[in-house]
Amino acid sequence: MPRLAIALVVLALAALASTMTYSGFLVIGVVADFLGTGRVMAGLMLGALFARFPWIRNGKPRVVGLIPKPFRRPLIVSLLALCLVNFLSRGEVVPAAFTGFATAFVLGFPWLRRAMFDRLVASVSTFAGKNAPKRNDDR
């Protein structure tokens, strides 16, 4: 059964990656349409906007970018919401579904990561014989 579980997880991750990639393709197309440029130029502009580079300051490695950390996720969600509204106004259902799923995933990912991490820590701490932390999972 572990092989089946691993295969299902890999399949789900591949489906998620392809969905997010297609949503990025759609976002670049909508941005290119709004700016009146080609997809390549819009992709390069978005890539430069969201790029993050390693930087060493005072002997400590850091990652810097044009957009500060608190503004990255809201900007990505606003771009996805703009694309969602654009596709819904045109009546295109399939691209709207992909961008809607990507928006929901970007918004729900912090909760999902926290819930999974808490569950893993709880299972490891009970296995190690340590006191289990209070559960904050609603399940």
Side-chain angles (χ1 to χ4, degrees):
M1 287 311 241
R3 288 184 182 174
L4 178 63
I6 289 172
L8 288 176
V9 167
V10 168
L11 184 66
L13 287 175
L16 179 65
S18 63
T19 301
M20 297 303 279
T21 301
Y22 183 61
S23 297
F25 174 76
L26 292 172
V27 167
I28 289 173
V30 169
V31 169
D33 188 37
F34 280 153
L35 295 177
T37 63
R39 285 184 184 268
V40 173
M41 184 56 78
L44 287 173
M45 289 173 17
L46 286 174
L49 184 67
F50 288 110
R52 295 166 54 194
F53 301 103
W55 190 266
I56 297 177
R57 186 173 191 184
N58 297 333
K60 295 181 182 179
R62 302 186 188 280
V63 177
V64 295
L66 290 177
I67 302 173
K69 189 173 183 178
F71 297 116
R72 272 186 234 133
R73 188 180 312 268
L75 183 61
I76 291 171
V77 169
S78 63
L79 277 173
L80 285 167
L82 171 76
C83 292
L84 179 64
V85 168
N86 183 27
F87 290 132
L88 287 176
S89 68
R90 288 191 209 167
E92 298 176 7
V93 178
V94 175
F98 275 96
T99 55
F101 176 78
T103 305
F105 182 77
V106 168
L107 287 173
F109 182 72
W111 172 83
L112 181 67
R113 182 178 56 195
R114 193 174 331 111
M116 289 178 64
F117 181 74
D118 289 347
R119 190 167 290 214
L120 282 170
V121 167
S123 68
V124 170
S125 65
T126 57
F127 180 72
K130 298 179 183 176
N131 292 335
K134 277 179 53 176
R135 291 183 178 230
N136 59 359
D137 191 6
D138 58 351
R139 284 183 241 147

